[in-house]
Amino acid sequence: MTLKGNALVGQSGGPTAVINASLAGVVEQAKLHPEIGEIYGAIHGVQGILDEELCDLRAETDETIALLSTTPAAALGSCRKKLTGADYACLLAVFRAHDIRFFFYIGGNDSADTSHKVGKLAHESGWEMRVIGVPKTVDNDLGYTDHCPGYGSVARFNALAVQGSGLDTAAMSTVDTVKIFETMGRNAGWITAATALAREQSGDPPHLIYLPERVFAPERFLADVKRVVDRGNGCVIAVCEGLRDAEGQPIVTFKHAVGTDSFGHKQLGGVGEFLVELIATELGIKARADKSGTIQRSFGAAQSVVDATEAKLAGGAAVRRACEGITDQMITLVRTSNDPYRCETGTAPLADVANAERPVPAEFINAAGNDVTPAFLEYARPLIGGPLPPVARLKLARVEKKLE
Amino acid sequence: MTLKGNALVGQSGGPTAVINASLAGVVEQAKLHPEIGEIYGAIHGVQGILDEELCDLRAETDETIALLSTTPAAALGSCRKKLTGADYACLLAVFRAHDIRFFFYIGGNDSADTSHKVGKLAHESGWEMRVIGVPKTVDNDLGYTDHCPGYGSVARFNALAVQGSGLDTAAMSTVDTVKIFETMGRNAGWITAATALAREQSGDPPHLIYLPERVFAPERFLADVKRVVDRGNGCVIAVCEGLRDAEGQPIVTFKHAVGTDSFGHKQLGGVGEFLVELIATELGIKARADKSGTIQRSFGAAQSVVDATEAKLAGGAAVRRACEGITDQMITLVRTSNDPYRCETGTAPLADVANAERPVPAEFINAAGNDVTPAFLEYARPLIGGPLPPVARLKLARVEKKLE
């Protein structure tokens, strides 16, 4: 017998440029399935469910839902909340009260854990409900999926920013010689790695790339910087906020721990400024740090078309799979061809995805640990949704000198 | 008798998204004037002239010159160099050696000073040469011009970034309640003020705006923040890197003074992180700081079409005026109509422009000193080259609660 009832969708964790595209995919697909009655949204993710703060997504116009696909951040509101045992029971009470039979949770590995646990409790309690996770994270660190919706857009932003920042640094290389470009990435270097997509020709910035998958060694770093600086024309260095030392400790920890989130994540920051100081102190060279912070994940004008398309696809696939009877799975992206780039959806068990993190693999990092490999570029390039805009490259043919 | 000879163009100071458009304007216009022989570029501004490092801009293809209009940063290389008396004599020697009769210098007030002085020395030495400045600064703080090429694009970037960052903050308001958005602006708040263009409706971010034209008072600031936070849905605060205390001192000065530039400007920074700490310590509220640094002036995808058009127009006008016999002037932008927006070029004496700074006027700042006025929005809106992309606004119609 076909399961009938209401659907609930929520968004969780750090927003991305395309998490709303996934929401649009869920809502538009849900409207096509007669077994789905009401389509509810959870305000601020599981926090909204706990507070019984739900909204009616059928009350939104088709135009508004369509516009979600190009609207950054999480339109329903998001949260970072680690649930306790009592919370799960509370969620289930809300599901029962509102006849929720289809639950779609758009988020990362913490959200997969939450989804899996609430689905398990529902099952054990005899409440028939399909639970499907929709992947989302700028960090691109979920397992079982080729890549994560949200990554292509943050990658595009950072590639665009390093392209411009690189031109800026070259222009100002007689004044500000070194540019430290700090990206997000608590435990994985995917975002930092993507800055390499700014390169069009050999020698283009970024000149050095440091990922948290390799121990950060100050002496090697300084030697690298000195070598690039000596070549002239400036030095652009992409670094990850999560860089770690030989003991596995962050090389910089944010001073104030007000509101360390409930998963125990520390708010990192300041790696860029720390390295500016290191370079000034040890090499006597002036550096500047750029750190776009949350701008990189919420800059609509840098949205990758491929990313937005796939995010919406994943949202729609979640509803289709649920209506087919699938539960306790996360939608995955499966790359079926790289040239031309093609991608389909698949599924993976939520329990497998939960709390697992996928670092940048060794074959994507060069031997010296200061750059990515061509294999990484091949992997990442299709995800940013087309080439960067071309830039003028003057020949700067020198005029013969006439003075001594 | 018509002055005949070679032309030299240089770029100076911090790059912008459109300083290359001005270069394109100079080169394309110069090609139309038969009295101009060679068209040379100065590598890294006056530093390149001192070193006799000139390049041949007629050797570049028309396609490359055209592409300059959408290429951020300074393609010839820029510099920050305060000249001494001996330097001026050296410049003149290079001008004579290369038969430079037309000198175009694209830059801000320091560059106007340089241009005026070298023109004066040439005149006194009997070397006939036309010197025209082309305005350029993201800071928008030059006098005698309605606005400065470079400002519209940095304004557009920051408006786009605050639009996205605002949505991001609202989405995460249960976790990261306050977002400090720090912009450039050493002495003037024009860039920070432009973040107000992110607003589409009343209540949209930024919720508070602090400019260096008003004394920064921590108690008032904290009271403002608390009031906005208490309304719910997060608080986005735009602040200028150049905020000053009652004694006129920067509220934060960058630790390392390696390479304080030769005009004695200090490298400012860290206002955002400073305020994050202040809010944490005094209010116990978690804040995050976003500081895009040089990204804001070099992000090609945020270039304002109006800004690029005017930057090119100013470059072309400089050549036309010089060929008409004008010298020792800077091109200005003259707004002839606001609705529809229309702008022409004019001129102002370089000596008047030199070293003058135009702060945000009182009528553009609200009485409380924590926002801009409608008059500012009317002034700034046409400069960003069209509206920001629309974003979805969900009604979030609440579903009736069924549980106690």
Side-chain angles (χ1 to χ4, degrees):
Chain A
M1 206 183 77
T2 305
L3 182 65
K4 289 186 179 177
N6 299 327
L8 176 63
V9 56
Q11 298 173 307
S12 181
T16 76
V18 302
I19 184 171
N20 286 329
S22 289
L23 175 60
V26 166
V27 174
E28 291 180 3
Q29 186 64 230
K31 287 180 178 174
L32 303 177
H33 293 265
E35 63 267 45
I36 295 180
E38 300 300 335
I39 306 171
Y40 292 153
I43 306 292
H44 289 295
V46 287
Q47 184 62 56
I49 309 178
L50 291 174
D51 300 339
E52 210 187 347
E53 288 284 346
L54 311 181
C55 68
D56 178 8
L57 289 170
R58 285 199 189 267
E60 308 291 343
T61 66
D62 290 348
E63 292 70 28
T64 300
I65 298 299
L67 195 53
L68 281 174
S69 289
T70 53
T71 301
L76 292 174
S78 188
C79 69
R80 289 191 199 278
K81 189 165 175 63
K82 187 88 175 173
L83 299 180
T84 62
D87 289 331
Y88 288 104
C90 177
L91 290 183
L92 190 58
V94 174
F95 289 155
R96 283 178 184 270
H98 292 274
D99 193 28
I100 305 299
R101 298 293 188 168
F102 304 90
F103 177 47
F104 307 105
Y105 207 34
I106 313 170
N109 33 29
D110 292 327
S111 308
D113 181 54
T114 300
S115 301
H116 169 66
K117 286 178 179 159
V118 72
K120 190 158 166 275
L121 181 65
H123 180 73
E124 289 165 1
S125 312
W127 180 254
E128 195 178 357
M129 181 172 77
R130 313 265 163 79
V131 179
I132 305 281
V134 181
K136 173 256 28 159
T137 174
V138 292
D139 290 331
N140 202 41
D141 60 354
L142 300 182
Y144 306 93
T145 182
D146 178 77
H147 56 283
C148 304
Y151 177 60
S153 295
V154 76
R156 185 171 186 84
F157 176 89
N158 281 302
L160 284 166
V162 164
Q163 183 192 48
S165 194
L167 294 168
D168 189 283
T169 304
M172 294 302 283
S173 56
T174 58
V175 183
D176 296 309
T177 313
V178 174
K179 173 79 55 64
I180 310 282
F181 187 93
E182 179 183 336
T183 77
M184 287 185 156
R186 196 181 280 113
N187 297 313
W190 293 102
I191 300 177
T192 320
T195 61
L197 296 169
R199 295 179 192 144
E200 193 185 45
Q201 299 180 2
S202 164
D204 281 354
H207 305 104
L208 296 166
I209 300 175
Y210 298 93
L211 312 183
E213 284 78 2
R214 293 287 176 273
V215 168
F216 181 78
E219 312 74 38
R220 277 211 308 274
F221 170 78
L222 290 166
D224 286 348
V225 173
K226 184 150 185 349
R227 200 183 59 248
V228 175
V229 167
D230 287 347
R231 287 203 307 247
N233 231 15
C235 173
V236 177
I237 308 167
V239 298
C240 183
E241 64 174 351
L243 287 183
R244 280 152 207 281
D245 62 20
E247 282 74 48
Q249 292 304 305
I251 63 170
V252 157
T253 314
F254 194 69
K255 222 172 182 175
H256 275 277
V258 176
T260 296
D261 77 27
S262 58
F263 293 96
H265 302 148
K266 270 188 201 160
Q267 187 178 352
L268 305 177
V271 164
E273 294 296 341
F274 171 77
L275 295 177
V276 164
E277 261 193 63
L278 185 69
I279 290 170
T281 311
E282 299 296 324
L283 299 179
I285 294 171
K286 188 162 171 233
R288 285 183 81 131
D290 285 343
K291 180 192 175 187
S292 68
T294 61
I295 300 171
Q296 65 197 287
R297 72 184 185 197
S298 60
F299 201 84
Q303 196 192 53
S304 154
V305 177
V306 166
D307 191 26
T309 304
E310 292 178 349
K312 190 166 176 180
L313 189 74
V319 176
R320 275 207 322 280
R321 300 287 176 134
C323 289
E324 287 165 12
I326 305 282
T327 188
D328 201 21
Q329 302 280 313
M330 184 187 76
I331 300 299
T332 59
L333 295 175
V334 182
R335 189 185 307 222
T336 54
S337 158
N338 205 45
D339 189 18
Y341 173 74
R342 286 202 197 91
C343 188
E344 300 172 354
T345 59
T347 58
L350 283 172
D352 293 346
V353 174
N355 293 314
E357 287 189 335
R358 180 181 61 143
V360 178
E363 66 264 30
F364 284 174
I365 307 173
N366 76 342
N370 60 12
D371 206 339
V372 297
T373 61
F376 170 76
L377 294 172
E378 198 181 333
Y379 163 83
R381 197 173 306 279
L383 311 182
I384 64 170
L388 303 192
V391 295
R393 290 172 185 271
L394 297 180
K395 282 182 266 185
L396 302 177
R398 290 301 196 276
V399 175
E400 200 184 331
K401 296 192 181 191
K402 303 201 172 181
L403 302 173
E404 287 312 294
Chain B
M1 208 182 77
T2 306
L3 182 64
K4 289 185 179 178
N6 299 326
L8 176 62
V9 55
Q11 298 174 306
S12 182
T16 77
V18 302
I19 184 172
N20 287 329
S22 290
L23 175 61
V26 167
V27 174
E28 291 180 4
Q29 186 63 230
K31 286 181 179 175
L32 302 178
H33 294 264
E35 64 268 45
I36 294 180
E38 300 301 335
I39 307 170
Y40 293 152
I43 306 292
H44 290 296
V46 287
Q47 184 62 57
I49 310 179
L50 292 174
D51 299 341
E52 211 188 345
E53 289 283 345
L54 310 181
C55 68
D56 178 7
L57 290 170
R58 284 200 189 268
E60 308 290 344
T61 65
D62 289 349
E63 292 70 27
T64 301
I65 298 299
L67 195 52
L68 280 174
S69 289
T70 53
T71 301
L76 292 174
S78 189
C79 68
R80 288 192 199 279
K81 188 163 175 65
K82 188 88 174 171
L83 300 180
T84 64
D87 290 332
Y88 288 103
C90 177
L91 290 182
L92 191 58
V94 174
F95 290 156
R96 283 178 184 270
H98 291 275
D99 193 29
I100 304 300
R101 298 293 188 168
F102 303 91
F103 178 47
F104 306 106
Y105 207 33
I106 313 169
N109 33 27
D110 293 326
S111 308
D113 183 52
T114 299
S115 301
H116 169 65
K117 286 180 180 158
V118 72
K120 190 158 166 273
L121 181 64
H123 181 71
E124 290 165 0
S125 313
W127 182 254
E128 195 178 357
M129 181 172 75
R130 313 264 165 79
V131 179
I132 305 283
V134 181
K136 173 254 32 161
T137 174
V138 292
D139 290 333
N140 203 41
D141 59 354
L142 299 182
Y144 306 92
T145 183
D146 178 76
H147 57 283
C148 304
Y151 177 59
S153 296
V154 75
R156 185 170 185 84
F157 176 89
N158 281 301
L160 283 167
V162 165
Q163 184 192 48
S165 195
L167 293 168
D168 188 281
T169 304
M172 293 303 283
S173 57
T174 57
V175 183
D176 297 309
T177 312
V178 174
K179 173 78 53 67
I180 310 283
F181 187 92
E182 179 183 336
T183 78
M184 285 185 158
R186 195 181 281 114
N187 297 313
W190 293 102
I191 300 177
T192 320
T195 60
L197 296 169
R199 296 178 190 143
E200 194 184 45
Q201 298 181 4
S202 163
D204 281 353
H207 305 103
L208 296 166
I209 300 175
Y210 298 94
L211 312 183
E213 283 79 2
R214 293 288 177 271
V215 168
F216 182 79
E219 314 71 40
R220 278 211 308 274
F221 169 79
L222 289 166
D224 286 348
V225 173
K226 184 153 187 342
R227 198 183 61 249
V228 175
V229 167
D230 287 348
R231 287 205 306 249
N233 231 17
C235 173
V236 177
I237 309 167
V239 299
C240 183
E241 63 174 352
L243 287 182
R244 281 153 204 282
D245 63 20
E247 281 75 46
Q249 293 303 305
I251 62 169
V252 156
T253 313
F254 194 69
K255 221 174 185 174
H256 275 276
V258 176
T260 296
D261 75 28
S262 58
F263 294 96
H265 301 148
K266 269 188 199 159
Q267 187 179 351
L268 305 177
V271 164
E273 293 296 340
F274 171 78
L275 295 176
V276 164
E277 260 192 64
L278 186 69
I279 291 170
T281 311
E282 299 297 323
L283 300 179
I285 294 172
K286 188 162 170 232
R288 284 183 83 132
D290 285 344
K291 179 193 176 189
S292 68
T294 61
I295 300 172
Q296 65 197 286
R297 71 184 184 197
S298 61
F299 201 83
Q303 195 191 55
S304 154
V305 177
V306 167
D307 191 26
T309 303
E310 292 178 347
K312 190 167 176 179
L313 189 73
V319 176
R320 274 207 323 279
R321 300 287 176 137
C323 290
E324 286 165 14
I326 306 282
T327 188
D328 201 22
Q329 301 279 313
M330 185 188 76
I331 300 299
T332 58
L333 295 175
V334 182
R335 190 185 307 222
T336 54
S337 159
N338 206 46
D339 189 18
Y341 173 75
R342 285 202 198 91
C343 188
E344 300 172 355
T345 60
T347 58
L350 283 172
D352 293 347
V353 174
N355 293 313
E357 288 190 334
R358 181 182 59 144
V360 178
E363 65 263 31
F364 285 175
I365 307 172
N366 75 343
N370 59 11
D371 206 340
V372 297
T373 61
F376 169 77
L377 294 172
E378 199 182 331
Y379 162 84
R381 198 175 305 281
L383 310 182
I384 63 169
L388 303 191
V391 294
R393 291 171 185 271
L394 297 180
K395 283 182 265 186
L396 301 176
R398 291 300 196 277
V399 175
E400 200 184 332
K401 295 191 181 191
K402 302 201 172 181
L403 301 172
E404 286 314 294

